[in-house]
Amino acid sequence: MKLKLLAPAAVLTTFCFAMPTSAENVQQIQQLLSTKECGGCDLSNAGLVRANLSNAQLGEANLMRANLSRAQLMGADLRGADLRGASLFGANLMGADLSGADLRGADLREAYLVDVNLTDAQIEGANLQDAIGTPATVMDVADVYNWGVRAAQQKNLDEAIAYFNQALSLDPEFAPAYLARSIVRAQKSDLPGARGDAEIALELFAIQNNPQAFEATQQLIAQIDAAQNPDSGNNGGGGFMRFVGSMGALLLRLML
């Protein structure tokens, strides 16, 4: 009989240790899932992966570090919600109201943000990489540029160009993106395109008084010209590709 009495106790002890140690309020989570109404609730650290929370009422809710990955939050009322450090990876937030919400440090990668209201929302440090429909007003050109640099380092050249295009749509005078796109185009053997981007970068670096980047861009143009005219005596070949590859260190220094 002792063994039979001890076994349930052991299971209960294991269950208790597996529960969150502080903020997750099971009763309020159950309320949210059953009624979709939990304004002002403490849902910090809640596990809500793939939860169907369309049109949920979550105004002023505490969702710090909650896991809402892939959750359906279409039309949800999240006004003033605390979403610091929350995971909204791949979440569908179409038409959600996030006005006044605190999204600092939140993971919004691949989230669907079409028609989202972000008025007065705090988004410093939020990861918006590959989010769909992100308003241009909340995008950081330096972040987009950095995503492109990382993609180029991983040899995802088409993806890198797409990021640099996006950065330039946000700021047409963002010189580092022209230089970076020039380097990637050279790696893809698009020398005319690479030269065109390098010329724009050169002009902008001159205007913006960046002598280091200006000189490096001049060298890149000279290398491109030599590669386009191998009979000139300056053989591009492998030396040209090595030079282009070495420009990656400059791109890192230009990360803002």
Side-chain angles (χ1 to χ4, degrees):
M1 291 296 296
K2 287 185 177 179
L3 288 176
K4 291 183 180 179
L5 290 171
L6 287 172
V11 171
L12 180 60
T13 302
T14 301
F15 177 76
C16 291
F17 277 111
M19 292 293 291
T21 57
S22 55
E24 186 173 6
N25 186 315
V26 175
Q27 183 178 0
Q28 291 187 331
I29 291 173
Q30 291 174 342
Q31 173 187 332
L32 171 63
L33 294 175
S34 60
T35 69
K36 294 189 179 180
E37 293 188 6
C38 213
C41 287
D42 182 1
L43 299 164
S44 54
N45 299 301
L48 294 164
V49 176
R50 297 185 181 275
N52 182 0
L53 299 172
S54 299
N55 300 309
Q57 300 301 303
L58 286 161
E60 304 293 336
N62 179 2
L63 287 155
M64 281 182 62
R65 298 179 300 277
N67 190 347
L68 290 151
S69 300
R70 306 289 184 189
Q72 294 297 321
L73 288 157
M74 293 178 292
D77 180 359
L78 288 154
R79 289 174 294 175
D82 188 344
L83 287 152
R84 286 176 292 170
S87 175
L88 291 153
F89 176 84
N92 186 348
L93 288 151
M94 181 178 180
D97 190 347
L98 284 154
S99 55
D102 192 340
L103 290 154
R104 287 176 292 177
D107 182 0
L108 287 154
R109 290 172 300 154
E110 300 183 22
Y112 195 69
L113 302 177
V114 173
D115 294 330
V116 168
N117 184 357
L118 289 165
T119 304
D120 296 326
Q122 299 181 70
I123 59 169
E124 294 83 0
N127 190 341
L128 291 158
Q129 186 169 1
D130 296 331
I132 299 168
T134 309
T137 53
V138 302
M139 292 294 290
D140 187 328
V141 65
D143 285 343
V144 179
Y145 168 77
N146 293 344
W147 301 339
V149 171
R150 286 194 288 270
Q153 290 174 324
Q154 296 165 3
K155 307 302 181 185
N156 298 323
L157 302 185
D158 291 334
E159 181 182 344
I161 287 178
Y163 282 129
F164 297 139
N165 291 343
Q166 185 180 3
L168 291 170
S169 71
L170 295 171
D171 182 358
E173 296 186 353
F174 191 70
Y178 284 108
L179 177 59
R181 193 171 67 179
S182 172
I183 292 169
V184 173
R185 282 179 165 169
Q187 291 174 321
K188 288 172 61 66
S189 300
D190 176 12
L191 297 183
R195 198 185 196 289
D197 278 343
E199 288 175 349
I200 298 172
L202 188 72
E203 180 179 352
L204 288 172
F205 284 134
I207 294 171
Q208 296 164 10
N209 192 26
N210 189 332
Q212 179 188 22
F214 180 87
E215 182 180 350
T217 305
Q218 280 186 317
Q219 295 174 9
L220 176 61
I221 290 173
Q223 290 288 330
I224 292 171
D225 288 343
Q228 286 183 305
N229 299 284
D231 295 334
S232 64
N234 292 320
N235 185 15
F240 170 68
M241 295 310 296
R242 284 192 295 274
F243 174 81
V244 169
S246 71
M247 293 288 285
L250 174 62
L251 296 183
L252 290 174
R253 289 197 295 273
L254 291 173
M255 290 173 76
L256 302 180

